[in-house]
Amino acid sequence: MDAPGTPAGSLSWRLSSHPITLLSFLSFRISSLLVYLFGLLFTDNFVLIFILTILLLATDFYYLKNIAGRRLVGLRWWNEVSASSGDGRWVFESSADPANPASSGGQPINATDSRFFWLALYVQPLLWIGLAVVAIVRLHFIWLSLVVIALVLTVTNTLAFSRCDKFSQATNLASSALYSGGMARNLAGGMVSRLFRGN
């Protein structure tokens, strides 16, 4: 599947481990922006553009949170609300250690999938921020309401996946420290037992 001379992690969807997931993810990410930017070329109906953009943003949010994040980078998050207190807490899940895929029986994270995922994840909120500035400068406050909704959805996913990635790295670091600590304990135990056993 790799083209000769193409380095791993290149931005080519052909190098993806999950090309259908990747292309669906990118199309959902781009479609809401395209409808927002070019919708007025096809219709003058603001309500139709607003509804289509919201539906595409919601689809993107769901697909990214529940499918693309899990398949492309092995990360998933959700928010649990306690029935007794009403407090919410974030729950993060990582399917595998990228450096050691055999640790949880998963496949290694494809560098191309990961680069596309993180690039699209961070670029889209920046584009929506730029569109918010344009809406403010042009005094189009009705469009600004749509941009604010888009920012809430995209920034929520961006922050959640960033935290999930940090949680995953911290968990992997802790598990590797425990493993290496176990090795050190075994080595030290072996040396002490030799010392007391008497040459």
Side-chain angles (χ1 to χ4, degrees):
M1 190 150 172
D2 292 350
T6 306
S10 295
L11 289 177
S12 171
W13 66 271
R14 289 188 172 103
L15 297 175
S16 173
S17 295
H18 307 284
I20 293 172
T21 303
L22 179 63
L23 292 175
S24 298
F25 163 66
L26 293 174
S27 64
F28 286 135
R29 296 300 274 179
I30 294 169
S31 62
S32 59
L33 283 164
L34 292 178
V35 168
Y36 177 82
L37 291 172
F38 301 116
L40 287 177
L41 295 176
F42 301 106
T43 182
D44 290 332
N45 189 347
F46 168 76
V47 174
L48 179 64
I49 295 169
F50 190 93
I51 291 171
L52 284 176
T53 305
I54 293 294
L55 288 174
L56 290 169
L57 285 165
T59 305
D60 171 54
F61 182 86
Y62 175 84
Y63 191 80
L64 172 61
K65 179 181 169 300
N66 295 312
I67 299 167
R70 183 175 47 83
R71 295 202 67 199
L72 297 177
V73 291
L75 300 173
R76 201 168 70 150
W77 67 271
W78 62 92
N79 192 356
E80 289 182 350
V81 178
S82 171
S84 60
S85 66
D87 293 334
R89 72 178 185 100
W90 294 71
V91 180
F92 304 115
E93 181 179 271
S94 175
S95 65
D97 177 359
N100 183 16
S103 64
S104 66
Q107 294 181 348
I109 303 300
N110 183 314
T112 298
D113 290 339
S114 180
R115 284 191 65 198
F116 268 116
F117 179 85
W118 293 110
L119 186 66
L121 190 72
Y122 288 117
V123 166
Q124 190 181 27
L126 295 176
L127 293 174
W128 283 112
I129 289 171
L131 291 171
V133 170
V134 169
I136 291 170
V137 168
R138 296 177 78 189
L139 300 175
H140 291 159
F141 296 112
I142 190 118
W143 289 99
L144 185 61
S145 64
L146 179 57
V147 174
V148 167
I149 294 169
L151 276 170
V152 167
L153 291 173
T154 58
V155 168
T156 299
N157 255 337
T158 302
L159 290 175
F161 275 107
S162 295
R163 287 182 182 175
C164 190
D165 185 46
K166 286 183 175 134
F167 173 78
S168 169
Q169 290 174 4
T171 302
N172 293 336
L173 182 64
S175 66
S176 68
L178 284 174
Y179 177 71
S180 63
M183 282 180 44
R185 192 174 330 120
N186 289 341
L187 286 173
M191 289 172 26
V192 168
S193 67
R194 283 187 188 171
L195 183 68
F196 286 113
R197 219 177 8 183
N199 255 339

